[in-house]
């Protein structure tokens, strides 16, 4: 698989044609702007012409002098003034009109992304330009094996499938996986009639006993010296917060060395969208319907990750596919912690079918749920306490989040106010916990891809991680 | 808690729970998961102490309830462990969800049931209602009569459970209160004898969790949209045949154990003074001792009575029972539990069905129910059973069940 690089994106719908980017660029580069804003096909719309830093650049192919070259490190197609013979073939070769000409000197003016801090993006008043760094995940994990087969039978746009594929890609083959009843085995993780959807040993525990069963596996593997196997669950919220809770709580209390990932889609979605203990207040579900006398769920959700911190787990964190790098870092730390004690990762997972969200809006819903503090991102360890991994300040009103989700369509102003109050209350509590936690150590935040657990000395398990990958 | 001083190869005096703990200890399980419940509690205390003292090299999992007890053992067995646990009554009920799937997964393990009556009405005393209630799930069920038999039956049970043609879980049952707390002389076999008897631990590679050999355990089978119900049927038939195969394996294992220890227990049924018996009693578990005394007394009075004790209740040794009872004129079956909806005891119904399947003649039978909630079934109760069964043989109509302790 190739590599993806950071790049400048342009959202035409937001561009008002002010041209500030061009001014900023020409100022920064003391010459012609490398970006140009041009009128779109419809009146009042705009398009851009800018170097896309193509993976297989046509300009490089047509350049007779070798003045253009793609940098394998940052992906920028660079221009070497000393080699250039000013034929301007590249400007014609680029299908995107991405290579500008500086008329005053009749030489190529090539976008170099300003060493990762583009002047154009900084000045764009509408946010039409964005500098995207998402490619890092692709580069780090793109070549890793997808441990689920293609064609899992999830609903269209299902966020849980994304979690499954990414989590297992990260964790790798040296693992034993339990997927209790719910959407995940429903997609075929354990399989149907002898065919399986998973490439690692996988089991379909009872809805009620996932944590217990994993504890048994781990204890025996420890006994026979196979301590490097990741013993983990990809479980739903019902089997975790409701009927399986005794098992989760017991395993956490005993410090069983297990990685328990709860994929929280806020209900028993696979069986027809019934409410669970983590279904938020006001949600429409098939057992908390909207009618004359009832308008969705009348109780607040159980805050399961917060409950797990009270078990003094080795590691507890919340995560979201809206913030994948954060999720990946937490997976690293969660895996590492699971070799030492109970490790719990709670991942919010919008269900397009049961929440009445269009598939195309799922990731947006993930982001908004974090950005509105509906699902704040934090992590906890029994030695360092709690810290936010995404600032809870300057959050959007929660109304912004719920308006994109159909299961809240009926909410009254009172219900909305209740939800906002609960969100504020929850954030205040988390802030209190964060304030009372010991200050972070110098190496508190492990760099992406590192396996050093938060607040812990690097141990031999760091080496184990490398060996596993 | 007794101080543990007994080395193997010696004679000790202990109760049935300690005997079971020794049976487990000598079988060298890798993992023991426990949750206490009367009358099983002292059994798990003995195990914990054995492990604390280093006498037993097993991983002890003290967990939050019986549901988890069996669940952690599922995980351990799937990873390749030999496991042991014990429970009773409400504990067994709470364990039922994982209990249900253990034989279907063909997980070889041994769990002692210290049998007890089930609530309600509330009761913490002996009875066999718990074990009898779960007899159809697919576990092998063996009932012990004495403390020594409890100890000896546990290694035998492992040998049966792990036999490649069986691969099924086994419950070794002993009566709560009577055997759990009753004290008797018990011989501890040498560890080397048990080791040689059990040999290498047999792992069920049909269902295992190991990254070296990835496998999906328990995929959804049958129903619409798949290959149809045939795969489910295949699994069910396999379980059935494992159960039937176990009848012979149980006999072989007992014979082997007898050769090594000199103690031969009746593997499926025991026939007592049945040679020329005109009527027969059928018993199960610890009541058999008193029943044998009653038989002896009746014999001394010249009454030709014999007894058949059921040791293995699942798989049910129907042919052997029918054969043993083929010559008698009447049968009295004594149960320590109730078969609701049949107005009789469970063993009564089983014997009735065995006779129908394997005999042409119809032998009159009567159901007796006693010993509920820890009540005594005395020699006098059995004498009453003998008298009533003779009247049955003489042509009097059966009327049952007779509740032995109704007026006690
Ligand atoms: S990134 Fe820099 S060089 Fe490229 S168009 Fe923007 S301002 Fe110009
Ligand atoms: S103008 Fe320069 S960079 Fe462009 S094709 Fe010619 S030589 Fe190459």
């Amino acid at each position: 698989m190739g590599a993806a690089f950071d790049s400048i994106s342009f959202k035409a719908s937001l561009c008002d044609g002010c041209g500030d980017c061009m001014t900023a660029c020409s100022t920064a580069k003391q010459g012609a702007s490398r970006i140009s804003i041009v009128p779109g096909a419809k009146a009042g719309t705009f398009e851009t012409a800018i170097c896309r830093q193509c993976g297989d650049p046509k300009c490089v192919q047509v350049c007779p002098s070798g003045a253009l070259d793609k940098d394998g490190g940052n992906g920028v197609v660079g221009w070497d003034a000393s080699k250039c013979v000013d034929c301007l073939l590249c400007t014609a070769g680029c299908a995107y009109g991405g290579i500008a000409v500086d008329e005053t000197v009749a030489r190529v003016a090539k976008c170099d992304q300003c060493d990762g801090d583009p002047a154009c993006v900084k000045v764009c008043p509408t946010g039409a330009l964005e500098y995207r760094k998402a490619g890092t995940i692709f580069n780090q994990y793109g070549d890793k094996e997808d441990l689920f087969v293609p064609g899992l039978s999830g609903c269209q746009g299902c966020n849980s499938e994304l979690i499954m594929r990414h989590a297992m890609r990260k964790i790798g083959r040296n693992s034993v996986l339990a997927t209790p009843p719910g959407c995940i085995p429903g997609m075929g993780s354990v399989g149907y009639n002898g065919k399986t959807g998973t490439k690692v040993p996988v089991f379909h525990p009872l809805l009620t006993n996932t944590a217990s069963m994993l504890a048994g596996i781990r204890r025996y593997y420890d006994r026979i010296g196979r301590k490097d196997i990741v013993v983990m669950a990809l479980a739903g919220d019902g089997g975790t917060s409701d009927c399986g809770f005794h098992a989760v709580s017991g395993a956490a209390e005993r410090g069983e060395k297990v990685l328990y990932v709860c994929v929280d889609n806020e209900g028993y979605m696979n069986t027809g969208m019934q409410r669970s203990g983590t279904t938020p207040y006001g949600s429409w579900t098939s057992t908390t319907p909207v009618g004359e006398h009832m308008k969705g769920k009348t109780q607040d959700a159980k805050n399961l990750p917060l409950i797990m911190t009270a078990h003094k787990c080795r590691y507890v964190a919340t995560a979201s596919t809206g913030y994948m790098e954060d999720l990946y870092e937490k997976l690293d730390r969660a895996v590492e912690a699971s070799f030492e004690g109970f490790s719990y990762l709670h991942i919010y997972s919008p269900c397009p079918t049961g929440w009445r969200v269009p598939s195309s809006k799922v990731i947006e819903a993930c982001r908004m749920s974090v950005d509105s503090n509906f699902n704040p991102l934090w992590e906890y360890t029994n030695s360092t306490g709690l810290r936010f991994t995404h600032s809870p300040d300057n959050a959007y009103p929660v109304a912004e989040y719920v308006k994109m989700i159909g299961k809240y369509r009926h909410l009254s102003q009172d219900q909305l106010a209740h939800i906002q109050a609960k969100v504020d209350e929850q954030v205040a509590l988390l802030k209190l916990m964060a304030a009372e936690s010991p200050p972070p150590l110098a190496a508190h935040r492990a760099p992406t891809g590192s396996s050093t657990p938060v607040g812990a000395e690097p141990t031999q398990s760091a080496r184990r991680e490398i060996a596993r990958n | 808690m007794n101080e543990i001083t007994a080395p193997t190869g010696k004679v000790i005096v202990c109760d049935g729970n300690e005997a079971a703990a020794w049976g487990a200890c000598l079988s060298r399980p890798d993992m023991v998961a426990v949750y206490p419940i009367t009358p099983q509690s002292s059994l798990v205390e003995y195990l914990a102490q054995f492990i604390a003292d280093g006498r037993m090299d097993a991983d002890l999992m003290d967990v939050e309830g019986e549901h988890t007890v069996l669940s952690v053992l599922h995980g351990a067995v799937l990873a390749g462990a030999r496991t042991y646990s014990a429970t009773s009554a409400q504990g067994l009920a709470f364990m039922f969800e994982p209990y249900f799937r253990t034989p279907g997964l063909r997980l070889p393990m041994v769990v002692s049931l210290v049998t007890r009556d089930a609530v309600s009405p509330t009761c913490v005393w002996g009875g066999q209602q718990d074990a009898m209630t779960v007899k159809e799930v697919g576990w092998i069920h063996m009932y012990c009569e004495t403390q020594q038999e409890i100890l000896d039956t546990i290694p035998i049970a492992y040998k049966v459970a792990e036999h490649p043609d069986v691969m099924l879980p086994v419950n070794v049952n002993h009566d709560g209160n009577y055997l759990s707390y009753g004290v008797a002389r018990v011989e501890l076999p040498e560890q080397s004898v048990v080791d040689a008897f059990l040999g290498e631990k047999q792992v069920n590679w049909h269902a295992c969790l190991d990254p070296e050999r990835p496998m999906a355990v328990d995929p959804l089978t049958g129903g619409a949209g798949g290959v149809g119900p045939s795969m489910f049927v295949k699994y069910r038939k396999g379980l059935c045949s494992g159960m039937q195969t176990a009848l012979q394996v149980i006999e072989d294992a007992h014979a082997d154990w007898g050769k090594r220890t000199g103690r031969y227990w009746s593997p499926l049924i025991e026939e007592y003074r049945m040679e020329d018996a005109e009527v027969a009693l059928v018993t199960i578990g610890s009541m058999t001792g008193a029943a044998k005394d009653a038989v002896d007394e009746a014999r001394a009075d010249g009454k030709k009575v014999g007894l058949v004790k059921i040791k293995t209740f699942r798989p049910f040794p129907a042919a052997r029972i029918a054969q043993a009872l083929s010559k008698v004129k009447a049968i009295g079956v004594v149960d320590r539990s109730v078969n609701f909806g049949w107005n009789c005891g469970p063993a009564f119904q089983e014997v009735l069905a065995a006779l129908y399947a394997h005999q042409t003649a119809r032998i009159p039978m009567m159901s007796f129910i006693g010993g509920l909630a820890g009540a005594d079934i005395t020699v006098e109760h059995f004498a009453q059973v003998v008298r009533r069964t003779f009247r049955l043989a003489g042509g009097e109509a059966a009327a049952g069940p007779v509740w032995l302790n109704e007026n006690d």
Side-chain angles (χ1 to χ4, degrees), chain A residues 173-177 189-224 226 229 243 245-251 253-254 256, chain B residues 29-31 57-64 67-76 78-82 94 97-99 101 105 201 208-223 225-228 231:
Chain A
R173 271 188 181 265
N174 197 23
S175 51
V176 170
L177 178 63
S189 62
V190 188
Y192 297 92
N193 289 318
K195 295 187 172 59
T196 173
T198 310
K199 299 177 193 169
V200 301
V202 64
F203 182 65
H204 192 190
L206 300 166
L207 185 59
T208 47
N209 76 350
T210 307
S212 316
M213 191 218 124
L214 290 174
I217 296 172
R218 158 57 79 208
R219 288 277 193 112
Y220 185 65
Y221 276 149
D222 273 1
R223 184 176 166 84
I224 59 175
R226 300 182 68 179
I229 297 170
C243 57
F245 183 66
H246 71 96
V248 174
S249 176
E253 180 263 328
R254 296 189 302 275
E256 304 288 358
Chain B
D30 301 293
M31 190 178 288
D57 173 25
D59 200 337
L60 176 71
M61 290 193 70
D62 276 302
V63 297
E64 79 282 0
H67 189 283
T68 284
V69 163
L70 199 51
S71 300
V72 297
L73 298 187
H74 278 186
L78 286 167
R82 179 181 285 168
F94 186 35
E97 199 196 5
Y99 186 87
R101 80 184 310 199
L105 272 173
K201 173 177 68 192
C208 76
L209 292 171
D210 184 347
E212 301 288 315
R213 44 164 95 198
M215 174 189 293
V217 174
D218 229 356
L220 193 63
T221 54
V227 297
M231 183 175 283

Side-chain angles (χ1 to χ4, degrees), chain A residues 8 25 29 34-35 50 110-114 118-120:
Chain A
I8 295 164
C25 181
K29 299 297 178 193
R34 279 74 168 146
I35 183 169
I50 185 172
K110 174 74 190 60
C111 169
D112 61 2
Q113 297 196 351
C114 299
C120 55

Side-chain angles (χ1 to χ4, degrees), chain A residues 3 10-12 15 55-56 98 112 144 166 197-198 200 218 260 301-302 365 367 377-378 426 455:
Chain A
F10 175 73
K11 217 172 196 180
C15 180
D56 183 17
D112 61 2
K144 292 203 172 175
H166 277 272
T198 310
V200 301
R218 158 57 79 208
Y260 195 103
K302 222 184 236 193
R367 289 225 170 184
L377 298 182
W378 50 267
Q426 173 182 269

Side-chain angles (χ1 to χ4, degrees), chain A residues 59 62-65 67-68 79 84-91 108:
Chain A
C59 59
V62 300
C63 175
S65 70
L68 286 164
W79 175 70
C84 180
V85 296
D86 302 322
C87 66
L88 301 187
L89 275 175
C90 58
T91 60
V108 160

Side-chain angles (χ1 to χ4, degrees), chain B residues 256-293:
Chain B
D256 188 9
W257 181 261
K259 244 184 282 163
R260 292 170 194 271
T261 63
R263 286 189 298 279
Y264 288 88
W265 303 99
S266 306
L268 303 174
I269 60 167
E270 178 187 346
E271 296 180 44
Y272 183 74
R273 306 192 77 167
M274 283 298 292
E275 319 79 56
D276 57 346
E278 287 172 8
V279 308
L281 310 187
V282 177
T283 59
I284 184 162
S286 65
M287 69 169 84
T288 309
K292 284 175 180 167
D293 284 351

